[in-house]
Amino acid sequence: MGAKSQSLKNNNHNHATIETASGLNRRQFLRQVGMSAGAGLLATHSITQALASNAMYSSSTQLTKDDLPSALMDEGSLPQTSQASLTQTTCITPTIETRLFASSNVGGSDDRTQLALNRVACAGFKVNNPTITTRQYLRFAGTDSQRASDLQNIATGAIAAPKLLLGVRGGYGAMRLLPMVDWSTLGRIMKERGTILAGFSDVTAIQCALLAKGDMSSLAAPMLYSEFGKTKPDEISCRQFAEALTNPNLVIDISDATLTSPSLPSILTSAEPKTITGTMWGGNLSVMSALAGSEYLPRIDGGIVFLEDVGEQAYRIERMLYDLYLAGVFKNQQAIVFGALSGAGEDSYDKRYDVATVIRQLHELTGLPIYSGMSFGHIGQKSSFPLGATCQLTPNTDGGYQLAFTNYPTIKADAIHVEGLWQAV
């Protein structure tokens, strides 16, 4: 990717945006593609493709938010800028001690799981517990006890802490495990080892608990099944995953608010934007809202809250933001950063009530500056970044802003063969 200090550019123009002119709200669209309105399975590029082609999607694979955005579309139609080259390349001997944790949904395809395992091994990650991917209890990747043991066994010392704890996939189920893990001890052991826990979506519950009770950072990043098991993993996401794992001074530049809402400025503030420094924390809005009022939601003084979600209409986004506001989550925070809010669709009562309206209301309610368009969430091209680490947020002269991260564990860059994450194996 070049020098370690190179910024990760937020190429928002490469991301397709929701075609609100279609006249379909979230429920209507889901009905059109043959899915239940409660599934919440919308993604920016996928919706645009589906509406353009009027094609129907059918699959026996159980889909959840973390499968997006490629799940509803023909992967061959991905734009060239985000299509991974699947040429065969040489693998390296895996040396990075890695363990998987499967906190949420069961995987839908054994072949996809094996492909993902082959790729991460090719890239240098030595997975010590691949058999957990075969577990299933109801919709989950094992019983609650089994899934909690992926983390609790490290806390008890039964299993040595690896360098990387990689989430298998999201969906739902991580919240059921929170009382079953000694987060304080787990956090201490992870700090001593310099362990990185990586994931997003439903894994937000794990990351919040780890920070709240274990004072340990994690990485907002793609996951095994969700990204590396795709027919064509996103090359940009893979490269930026490796960059975040290896660069102790990660920098991400954000140029506009498109991923959050095209109707917003990048920076929404009542005063002149200024540089702020604080702990970046947060994750998926739905999960954060569900944790509001619990001991597992961090209480960070002077923090910078990050939020993203997918497939939630504007009123649902606002309701979850009010959950956090009424629980006092935004008190003593310096700013709110929004990533992708994909697939919000139109309000069936009034099209003017959109994501931009909701975020402006939040700004008035909290008085906090709001920064939009961060390139992370349920989108094709993700910029992985630390949660629970120090972040310096700096506005630039072009109306965008920069995020610079410090104080988080990393891996030696020469231990990773990044091309292995998307190659044909």
Side-chain angles (χ1 to χ4, degrees):
M1 171 166 274
K4 284 295 178 184
S5 60
Q6 178 181 357
S7 297
L8 301 178
K9 297 298 182 183
N10 177 36
N11 298 317
N12 288 327
H13 62 278
N14 288 333
H15 295 284
T17 55
I18 302 297
E19 296 292 339
T20 56
S22 66
L24 296 180
N25 62 27
R26 175 175 178 266
R27 183 177 299 274
Q28 291 168 331
F29 173 77
L30 288 170
R31 185 181 298 116
Q32 176 175 325
V33 296
M35 299 161 62
S36 72
L41 300 176
L42 302 184
T44 323
H45 197 119
S46 305
I47 291 173
T48 307
Q49 292 288 328
L51 292 176
S53 64
N54 199 31
M56 304 295 283
Y57 177 83
S58 63
S59 172
S60 60
T61 300
Q62 185 180 27
L63 299 176
T64 53
K65 289 183 178 183
D66 60 299
D67 290 300
L68 301 172
S70 61
L72 298 180
M73 61 185 291
D74 175 6
E75 291 186 274
S77 66
L78 284 169
Q80 292 299 314
T81 54
S82 64
Q83 250 186 358
S85 172
L86 291 177
T87 56
Q88 187 77 38
T89 61
T90 303
C91 297
I92 64 172
T93 301
T95 59
I96 303 168
E97 291 297 323
T98 302
R99 293 191 68 84
L100 304 176
F101 68 96
S103 58
S104 307
N105 274 30
V106 65
S109 165
D110 292 341
D111 290 341
R112 177 169 172 166
T113 298
Q114 189 58 54
L115 178 59
L117 289 168
N118 292 344
R119 283 188 174 131
V120 296
C122 181
F125 300 93
K126 184 180 179 182
V127 176
N128 294 325
N129 61 335
T131 58
I132 74 164
T133 60
T134 64
R135 299 181 320 212
Q136 181 171 0
Y137 172 72
L138 301 176
R139 62 173 290 142
F140 307 111
T143 65
D144 289 357
S145 178
Q146 287 175 321
R147 290 180 291 124
S149 70
D150 296 342
L151 301 171
Q152 180 61 9
N153 282 345
I154 297 172
T156 64
I159 294 173
K163 187 58 184 177
L164 177 66
L165 274 166
L166 179 61
V168 175
R169 68 174 302 182
Y172 169 70
M175 289 184 65
R176 295 170 57 133
L177 314 182
L178 300 186
M180 304 175 69
V181 177
D182 181 351
W183 298 104
S184 178
T185 302
L186 179 63
R188 175 181 57 78
I189 292 174
M190 288 177 63
K191 283 182 182 179
E192 293 171 354
R193 175 68 173 90
T195 300
I196 303 166
L197 184 145
F200 82 114
S201 193
D202 193 53
V203 173
T204 294
I206 302 296
Q207 294 169 311
C208 282
L210 184 61
L211 181 58
K213 302 181 77 66
D215 193 28
M216 182 61 193
S217 67
S218 60
L219 193 69
M223 295 180 285
L224 181 84
Y225 185 93
S226 309
E227 184 63 49
F228 308 127
K230 289 179 179 177
T231 303
K232 297 176 182 178
D234 183 78
E235 183 175 335
I236 291 175
S237 294
C238 293
R239 288 190 180 279
Q240 296 187 359
F241 172 64
E243 178 77 359
L245 282 174
T246 59
N247 189 347
N249 296 290
L250 183 71
V251 174
I252 300 173
D253 288 322
I254 293 87
S255 59
D256 63 61
T258 303
L259 288 176
T260 303
S261 170
S263 303
L264 280 170
S266 298
I267 304 173
L268 188 62
T269 181
S270 55
E272 186 69 22
K274 61 181 181 179
T275 297
I276 59 175
T277 301
T279 299
M280 175 80 91
W281 67 283
N284 181 262
L285 175 58
S286 299
V287 177
M288 293 271 288
S289 170
L291 292 176
S294 78
E295 61 185 298
Y296 303 105
L297 191 67
R299 290 164 175 79
I300 306 294
D301 287 332
I304 301 170
V305 184
F306 171 77
L307 299 168
E308 62 81 21
D309 217 317
V310 62
E312 302 290 357
Q313 288 184 300
Y315 82 92
R316 292 176 60 87
I317 293 171
E318 181 171 278
R319 182 165 60 196
M320 291 185 288
L321 290 171
Y322 262 91
D323 284 344
L324 299 180
Y325 170 72
L326 295 173
V329 172
F330 298 123
K331 289 182 179 179
N332 301 321
Q333 303 304 298
Q334 297 189 74
I336 303 169
V337 174
F338 279 98
L341 292 176
S342 312
E346 292 181 346
D347 185 78
S348 59
Y349 290 92
D350 192 324
K351 295 179 181 180
R352 295 171 297 178
Y353 181 68
D354 57 8
V355 168
T357 301
V358 166
I359 291 179
R360 290 181 186 278
Q361 169 68 6
L362 179 67
H363 172 56
E364 293 182 9
L365 197 65
T366 63
L368 293 174
I370 292 178
Y371 296 77
S372 296
M374 169 64 172
S375 53
F376 192 83
H378 295 78
I379 54 175
Q381 299 175 4
K382 300 176 183 65
S383 293
S384 301
F385 67 98
L387 290 167
T390 301
C391 176
Q392 183 179 76
L393 192 160
T394 305
N396 61 38
T397 57
D398 299 323
Y401 58 98
Q402 182 182 88
L403 302 173
F405 298 89
T406 53
N407 301 325
Y408 52 93
T410 56
I411 293 170
K412 291 182 179 179
D414 60 7
I416 300 177
H417 174 57
V418 64
E419 288 84 359
L421 292 174
W422 66 77
Q423 74 166 336
V425 289

